[in-house]
Amino acid sequence: TGYLEVAQVLPAPNAQDVDPTGALTVIFNRPVVPLTTLAEQEALPKPLTISPAVLGKGEWLNTAIYRFTPERPLDGGTTYTARVAAGLIDTVGTPLEQEYVWTFSTQPPVVSWTSPNDGGLQISPSAPLTVTFNQPIDGASAAQAFTLSNANGNRVEVQTGVNGAVLIITPAARLDFDTTYITTLAAGVRSATGGEGMRQSVTWKFATAPL
């Protein structure tokens, strides 16, 4: 009674800013595989392919739902194409008539936390400066995008380093006491694997403690 069909997929077709740490799920309109033990999963069909290629593990959650979990987070700011090939057969021999294809895009880097935070007061002039992102970032693009200056517009020389998703900023000299500083990250900071950069610049201020 009709062909096997893909009823729903996650992420949804044309979805934007998808969480790079999520899994991909395909839901069919009827059973595709029989009920089996976990040990027998390897013998079942693996209907999903992804481009760019992603390493991971696929499993059938039940007879009609297939989930693929990547080994590591997907690349940030990247458009992926997922396919379920035609010819997949359900439990009674009815095939998937046409290939099912959809695309989605992962979220580019976004600043999730800063230290000191915006509006911070009484900050030690020797306190570490860090910026935490939602995903590992490319150190070169982050270094190019970051600036630190005082309220008069005088820039402070800094060195930067990256530890996964954390940008670490070290001023060349101790900051001045009782001074307001303005920190800026320009748009374009890329994830560690490339892709679309951060879309909007971010600016925040903090003030050091007086003597």
Side-chain angles (χ1 to χ4, degrees):
T1 56
Y3 289 98
L4 173 65
E5 297 177 357
V6 174
Q8 185 179 359
V9 293
L10 297 172
N14 303 316
Q16 303 290 320
D17 293 340
V18 171
D19 181 359
T21 63
L24 282 73
T25 304
V26 182
I27 303 173
F28 295 92
N29 66 332
R30 62 182 66 179
V32 178
V33 297
L35 290 172
T36 61
T37 64
L38 291 176
E40 296 173 314
Q41 280 270 350
E42 287 300 320
L44 299 179
K46 297 176 174 58
L48 185 64
T49 58
I50 307 167
S51 179
V54 177
L55 296 177
K57 180 181 180 181
E59 61 180 340
W60 289 92
L61 302 184
N62 60 29
T63 60
I65 300 178
Y66 181 81
R67 181 177 66 185
F68 179 84
T69 304
E71 283 186 3
R72 61 175 184 80
L74 299 176
D75 297 343
T78 301
T79 297
Y80 285 88
T81 301
R83 291 180 171 86
V84 179
L88 180 67
I89 297 174
D90 66 15
T91 53
V92 296
T94 305
L96 181 71
E97 183 183 23
Q98 296 180 339
E99 179 184 48
Y100 186 92
V101 182
W102 83 100
T103 62
F104 62 91
S105 299
T106 52
Q107 187 178 40
V110 174
V111 173
S112 56
W113 183 257
T114 65
S115 179
N117 60 5
D118 187 24
L121 302 173
Q122 304 285 338
I123 304 301
S124 169
S126 57
L129 309 179
T130 61
V131 183
T132 302
F133 293 81
N134 64 330
Q135 58 191 271
I137 60 166
D138 169 65
S141 63
Q144 186 176 8
F146 182 84
T147 57
L148 174 65
S149 59
N150 61 25
N152 295 324
N154 298 318
R155 292 184 61 167
V156 178
E157 184 178 351
V158 299
Q159 294 181 336
T160 61
V162 170
N163 183 5
V166 180
L167 173 65
I168 304 167
I169 302 102
T170 306
R174 188 184 67 183
L175 300 180
D176 296 332
F177 286 97
D178 200 15
T179 301
T180 297
Y181 286 92
I182 302 169
T183 50
T184 301
L185 264 174
V189 178
R190 298 188 302 275
S191 75
T193 53
E196 180 187 4
M198 189 171 72
R199 294 174 186 152
Q200 296 180 336
S201 62
V202 180
T203 300
W204 65 103
K205 301 179 181 180
F206 65 91
T208 53
L211 286 169

